[in-house]
Amino acid sequence: MSDDTRPDTDPIETTPSRRRVLTLGAVGAAAVVSIRPALAQTAGSVLNCDIPVPDASRAGSFIDAQGKIVPSGTKGAFAGASRPFKGEEVRRVLNSGGQLPGTDSERSRAYVNYIRRLQRGQGGFTCFASLQMPRG
């Protein structure tokens, strides 16, 4: 193999110029400046998202103590919440206990059990899943 087939590897040409390095640094800094507010806005929107109990497709159903959907009128079960709960309300109860607004302790426990059972495709799942994400 002759030296003619190897590409030129002149170290002067492969070293980035100072101008190129500064340009890349400025682009990176701009990205950080624009991403941080977006993350803060996302965190804020997570706390303001809604979790209906039960979701719209099961409206009129009751929630039993384990958080399962049961037919309306089931003894020992609770009617759905009169309004969706905000992510902040649910986060507070999950992290430090207490009750969801407008509920007694048994009803709140049943609603929280329902929320913990939420699965993809159910109303409120994305909000609940976002509450589980660690914050940096």
Side-chain angles (χ1 to χ4, degrees):
M1 200 188 274
S2 72
D3 286 342
D4 297 357
T5 59
R6 286 187 300 167
D8 260 343
T9 55
D10 186 1
I12 295 174
E13 290 182 19
T14 59
T15 306
S17 70
R18 183 174 183 187
R19 174 176 281 153
R20 175 90 173 132
V21 170
L22 290 173
T23 302
L24 290 174
V27 169
V32 169
V33 168
S34 63
I35 290 172
R36 280 201 176 159
L39 291 175
Q41 182 178 4
T42 300
S45 64
V46 164
L47 299 179
N48 291 315
C49 61
D50 289 334
I51 302 176
V53 177
D55 67 343
S57 67
R58 295 175 178 89
S61 298
F62 277 31
I63 311 293
D64 73 6
Q66 288 77 41
K68 296 179 185 174
I69 300 289
V70 296
S72 63
T74 301
K75 187 175 181 177
F78 305 97
S82 59
R83 67 166 181 87
F85 296 105
K86 295 290 183 191
E88 172 64 22
E89 295 167 338
V90 173
R91 185 190 61 79
R92 180 182 40 81
V93 171
L94 292 172
N95 289 342
S96 58
Q99 297 171 197
L100 291 167
T103 66
D104 59 28
S105 62
E106 288 181 29
R107 183 179 301 258
S108 181
R109 199 171 12 257
Y111 288 175
V112 168
N113 287 339
Y114 169 83
I115 292 168
R116 285 187 172 131
R117 295 171 148 273
L118 285 173
Q119 295 182 6
R120 184 169 308 201
Q122 287 182 281
F125 172 77
T126 302
C127 181
F128 175 64
S130 298
L131 295 174
Q132 306 305 305
M133 301 271 188
R135 306 257 183 263

